Amino acid sequence: MKKRRPLPHFRSIVRQLSLAGGGAVVLLILLVTACSPSKSTYHSLFLRLSSNDSAARHLQALTRRPHVAGSEANAAAAAYVLETLSSASIPAHIVSYDVLLSYPVHRYLSLSSEATAPSVSFDLVQEIYPGDPYADVAAEVLPTFHAYAHSGTAAGEVVYANYGRIEDFDKLRAAGVNVAGSVVLARYGGIFRGDIIRNAQLAGAIAAIVYTDAKDYGGGARGKWFPNDRWMPPSGVQVGSVFRGLGDPTTPGWASVSDCERVSVDEVVASGLMPGIPSLPVSSRDGEAILKTIGGEVAAADWQGEEGAPVYRLGPGPGFVNLTYLGNETIMTIQNVIAVIKGKAEPDRYVIIGNHRDAWTFGAVDPNSGTAALLELAQRLEKLQNRGWKPRRTIVICNWDAEEYHLLGSTEWAEDNREMLSSRAVAYLNVDCGVSGPGFHASSTPQLDRLLKEASQKVQDPDNTSQTLYDSWVTSDSPLIGRLGGAGTDFAAFVQHIGVPSVDMRFGRGYPVYHSMYDDFVWMLKYGDPLFHRHVAAASILGLVALRLADEEFLPFDYMSYASELQQRAKVLENELLGKPVSFSSLYKSIEDFKIAVAKVDSQRKELESKVLLSKWKKEPVKVRELNDRLMLTERAFTDREGLFERPWYKHLIYGPSQHNGYGSESFPGIDDAVKKVETSNISYSWQSVQHEVWRVARVITQASQVLKGELT
């Protein structure tokens, strides 16, 4: 169908009405407005264009084979995403990086009741379940391993360390258990697996085994697991990366383009970001077999397993294991798929939507439920464009590679485009494990809180059609909106390295078959989202937030929420350090100045927004642009070029990961690091370092106030 053009006589009507005076001009404006659908009309249409069938088809296509980063199957998945986006009339291309990936070559684990007794070897295999439709490609699943694990052999008595946290090793020390020279057995569920290995190494262990406990992941004594229930089967193993940095380990802080500068693997190990001891992940069945051989003091009640499990003891020994791991670290090419819908009025302002594609196995939840939602969203945008919609600002759709190795694809792209993103990125919206069950969960930088709430009031609850997503969200037993301090998924480079306002969202919490070969399409059909209504809702809320950021003349940022959050977190911190030689006056003063700046920019925005209809059409767009730039760039001001102490890649001083748990989110991470250092060093004058970090936070908040006000001192 030919694109309609204005009628030939329309210009003459315009001229005549203009000459007729003010009332006619207003009539003309109303006429033009009535002829063009409003942005909100398009946004409502976006919500009505949903298709759970297309989301299901995308997920089924993406999860036919295991598709770990660097594999042929993952390249085929990239081609599928590229073709889907291109078919939606969204220009798309592939951006490649050459990065260090890790694959298993040889694994061995044996157990004996004591050092001199005969040993039994573990097969370290995840079993195919009855009726598995993917049995023919199960051999393509990589053997269970830890990516970037240290290659080596270790033999020693076993010590049980609960979740492998710092406090768990402190309790072992207090109980008189010597970890040095032993092999640590710890269970998943408390902290990032890389930090478990690091903590074991620092405690003197010669190797680490991390197992999936039935208490946390199900199955066990109840005898019900996938495919008969949602729980992890006894042979299921959670694999994953143990690299504690972000991005390519050999290019810390710069992009892994071909022939670039690289540091050696030995240098990365020496830095503590890659382990210096070998490790293996094992199943609940194998973990329980090892636990049965451990003697010594009985572990505390909260260290025990589920009802019916054997009694857990601390050791060391007499159980004795022999562990060997040999890995292959090699430079491989990864592929990010990038698609761009160019903005009409502000093409140099970017609203970025991202999800990763690679998976340790089939990836039905992690990450391809998010990929399916992303592609369904893109196809809805095509339909909007066919009806005449054009975004005010540019929308960039990103499908990342090698996230599972610890955020390689998104980090390399962010580092590669750092300066462009610093000056042009409005926001980054992330979806990883988009759907694993009921219940909506979101985290954001605080200026996006209100936008999230407003968008959720427009989206139907997929599990109760009589209410909105917001209705069910506010009645849930979890905090309404979390924060983005952790480094568990692809928002990390945008928030913590560059300072881009960001959101991460999902349906469902953790799920028991995480990172195992049982995270497949059958599990999703039976337990995750049988009707794919949650996938539709994920696409709807993600897309609506993106549309409002891309289309609204004034960026829908609310910094008063940020000011309240800063005030609240400062008070919590002060209470925690009550009686310590630390002053918070500079921090409180900077927050009060920030509140004044927020009030000022809010007043300026209201003044611009409250123009009468006639004057609105004469308003200088430069004023709106300048105000929006201040709103956009304020988040950047919370970063510091020097970064966190001993963790310089992390630039954000308000939100960052815990030093001892990469998944954990901390407010004022630099202050938290300094406090923990003081508590372990026991040197009184080191509180000066805590005071220094308080001053640093106060300075970035002051800088944010100046950016928000848009005035030089």
Side-chain angles (χ1 to χ4, degrees):
M1 181 184 293
K2 267 190 165 182
K3 190 175 180 181
R4 285 197 299 178
R5 300 173 64 85
L7 295 175
H9 63 276
F10 186 72
R11 290 187 183 85
S12 64
I13 295 173
V14 171
R15 283 195 298 271
Q16 291 170 30
L17 286 172
S18 298
L19 293 170
V25 172
V26 172
L27 181 63
L28 170 63
I29 292 170
L30 292 172
L31 174 65
V32 172
T33 304
C35 292
S36 303
S38 66
K39 293 295 186 182
S40 61
T41 300
Y42 282 121
H43 298 176
S44 297
L45 178 60
F46 173 83
L47 297 177
R48 295 197 302 271
L49 292 172
S50 61
S51 171
N52 55 335
D53 287 341
S54 68
R57 284 195 301 271
H58 290 314
L59 186 64
Q60 189 169 26
L62 288 162
T63 58
R64 291 187 190 280
R65 296 169 61 191
H67 47 287
V68 71
S71 67
E72 177 273 328
N74 197 42
Y80 177 86
V81 171
L82 182 68
E83 171 61 25
T84 301
L85 293 170
S86 299
S87 297
S89 302
I90 303 175
H93 62 284
I94 284 179
V95 180
S96 298
Y97 296 99
D98 297 328
V99 301
L100 186 77
L101 298 183
S102 169
Y103 303 99
V105 175
H106 175 68
R107 307 159 306 138
Y108 176 79
L109 182 66
S110 66
L111 171 69
S112 54
S113 58
E114 56 184 9
T116 58
S119 64
V120 176
S121 299
F122 295 101
D123 60 16
L124 305 177
V125 171
Q126 299 185 87
E127 297 170 357
I128 296 171
Y129 60 87
D132 184 354
Y134 303 104
D136 59 326
V137 292
E140 296 179 25
V141 175
L142 287 179
T144 54
F145 80 119
H146 283 148
Y148 304 114
H150 186 75
S151 292
T153 295
E157 292 183 326
V158 185
V159 168
Y160 171 55
N162 197 23
Y163 292 109
R165 301 166 298 188
I166 289 290
E167 56 265 38
D168 293 327
F169 284 100
D170 288 344
K171 289 179 180 178
L172 285 173
R173 194 177 301 110
V177 177
N178 184 13
V179 176
S182 68
V183 175
V184 160
L185 176 70
R187 53 184 174 179
Y188 280 116
I191 59 174
F192 171 55
R193 70 189 72 80
D195 291 313
I196 296 174
I197 312 305
R198 176 67 174 170
N199 294 341
Q201 180 180 339
L202 292 175
I206 56 175
I209 300 168
V210 189
Y211 78 101
T212 303
D213 197 304
K215 178 181 179 180
D216 301 305
Y217 294 87
R222 291 189 298 276
K224 293 191 71 176
W225 52 78
F226 184 66
N228 299 315
D229 208 328
R230 64 191 301 267
W231 304 105
M232 179 82 95
S235 70
V237 178
Q238 181 192 135
V239 302
S241 176
V242 291
F243 174 52
R244 296 172 62 247
L246 300 186
D248 181 357
T250 68
T251 60
W254 62 91
S256 296
V257 295
S258 58
D259 300 324
C260 67
E261 176 189 6
R262 295 184 185 274
V263 300
S264 69
V265 171
D266 288 342
E267 289 176 279
V268 183
V269 172
S271 74
L273 294 179
M274 281 171 61
I277 60 173
S279 66
L280 281 175
V282 301
S283 65
S284 61
R285 183 168 60 200
D286 293 348
E288 186 172 301
I290 297 171
L291 282 162
K292 288 178 178 177
T293 69
I294 301 176
E297 182 181 331
V298 173
D302 59 344
W303 285 41
Q304 295 295 328
E306 66 170 359
E307 185 179 350
V311 175
Y312 292 5
R313 296 176 179 272
L314 302 180
F320 190 92
V321 298
N322 193 311
L323 180 153
T324 297
Y325 174 75
L326 177 62
N328 175 29
E329 283 79 43
T330 183
I331 300 294
M332 299 287 288
T333 299
I334 62 171
Q335 299 178 314
N336 292 334
V337 182
I338 309 294
V340 179
I341 302 174
K342 195 170 183 180
K344 184 177 181 181
E346 299 183 72
D348 60 341
R349 293 293 178 264
Y350 308 143
V351 175
I352 306 167
I353 313 171
N355 153 268
H356 77 94
R357 177 189 67 258
D358 67 297
W360 285 121
T361 62
F362 295 97
V365 173
D366 183 10
N368 298 133
S369 60
T371 316
L374 186 74
L375 295 179
E376 207 264 311
L377 179 160
Q379 289 175 320
R380 291 196 222 175
L381 295 183
E382 177 197 17
K383 294 171 184 175
L384 287 190
Q385 290 189 90
N386 291 341
R387 288 162 171 79
W389 166 82
K390 295 292 181 187
R392 177 185 180 91
R393 303 177 185 92
T394 294
I395 294 176
V396 184
I397 299 173
C398 305
N399 186 231
W400 310 118
D401 200 353
E403 187 271 357
E404 296 295 5
Y405 279 84
H406 223 192
L407 320 189
L408 272 63
S410 59
T411 300
E412 298 312 310
W413 190 81
E415 291 173 345
D416 202 15
N417 295 279
R418 183 187 294 112
E419 300 311 315
M420 289 279 282
L421 295 172
S422 293
S423 62
R424 299 184 176 191
V426 171
Y428 175 72
L429 313 178
N430 190 69
V431 58
D432 186 340
C433 303
V435 179
S436 62
F440 179 64
H441 303 277
S443 298
S444 71
T445 46
Q447 74 275 68
L448 294 173
D449 287 0
R450 187 172 68 185
L451 174 59
L452 268 172
K453 294 173 186 176
E454 291 173 351
S456 69
Q457 291 169 8
K458 302 291 185 181
V459 177
Q460 188 181 73
D461 180 358
D463 295 295
N464 185 348
T465 56
S466 67
Q467 63 183 16
T468 68
L469 203 55
Y470 181 78
D471 295 331
S472 61
W473 192 18
V474 294
T475 57
S476 66
D477 58 358
S478 60
L480 195 60
I481 300 177
R483 295 299 170 224
L484 298 176
T489 188
D490 290 304
F491 60 75
F494 294 91
V495 177
Q496 297 153 14
H497 190 62
I498 299 175
V500 177
S502 298
V503 169
D504 182 62
M505 56 184 76
R506 65 182 297 167
F507 280 83
R509 290 184 176 275
Y511 65 106
V513 297
Y514 174 69
H515 281 196
S516 75
M517 71 175 285
Y518 308 107
D519 181 9
D520 65 13
F521 191 73
V522 175
W523 191 93
M524 180 62 73
L525 277 178
K526 290 171 74 87
Y527 308 113
D529 192 13
L531 298 177
F532 281 80
H533 291 164
R534 294 168 190 153
H535 283 74
V536 165
S540 293
I541 183 71
L542 181 66
L544 186 56
V545 170
L547 284 170
R548 289 195 56 188
L549 288 165
D551 283 343
E552 292 192 5
E553 186 174 18
F554 293 89
L555 288 176
F557 288 177
D558 173 23
Y559 276 100
M560 193 54 74
S561 176
Y562 220 129
S564 299
E565 176 89 2
L566 290 171
Q567 184 80 29
Q568 177 188 351
R569 297 312 304 170
K571 189 63 180 174
V572 169
L573 181 63
E574 184 182 32
N575 289 338
E576 289 174 351
L577 298 182
L578 208 60
K580 304 298 183 185
V582 180
S583 170
F584 291 91
S585 59
S586 61
L587 180 57
Y588 282 121
K589 183 181 184 305
S590 69
I591 294 171
E592 288 304 314
D593 290 343
F594 187 70
K595 289 179 181 177
I596 294 170
V598 172
K600 181 175 181 178
V601 79
D602 284 351
S603 175
Q604 291 171 339
R605 173 160 52 187
K606 287 174 184 175
E607 184 180 346
L608 282 172
E609 288 176 330
S610 64
K611 300 290 187 180
V612 296
L613 182 61
L614 182 60
S615 63
K616 180 178 179 182
W617 286 77
K618 293 180 179 178
K619 179 178 56 186
E620 292 183 53
V622 173
K623 289 185 178 180
V624 178
R625 169 83 164 193
E626 189 272 339
L627 186 142
N628 281 336
D629 281 353
R630 284 188 272 146
L631 294 171
M632 178 183 74
L633 294 172
T634 296
E635 188 71 42
R636 315 282 199 275
F638 291 124
T639 65
D640 182 280
R641 66 174 62 91
E642 294 179 6
L644 300 181
F645 180 65
E646 295 182 340
R647 297 190 289 165
W649 186 90
Y650 295 99
K651 308 293 185 187
H652 209 288
L653 298 194
I654 309 301
Y655 297 112
S658 164
Q659 192 167 28
H660 301 292
N661 178 16
Y663 288 159
S665 176
E666 293 288 349
S667 298
F668 310 135
I671 300 176
D672 183 71
D673 287 354
V675 170
K676 285 185 169 62
K677 204 169 187 67
V678 170
E679 290 173 344
T680 55
S681 67
N682 228 359
I683 302 173
S684 59
Y685 66 76
S686 60
W687 283 103
Q688 295 172 9
S689 65
V690 178
Q691 186 67 70
H692 173 64
E693 291 298 331
V694 172
W695 275 109
R696 290 184 72 201
V697 173
R699 285 194 287 269
V700 297
I701 295 174
T702 299
Q703 289 294 317
S705 298
Q706 290 176 214
V707 171
L708 203 53
K709 288 186 291 188
E711 297 173 357
L712 294 170
T713 56

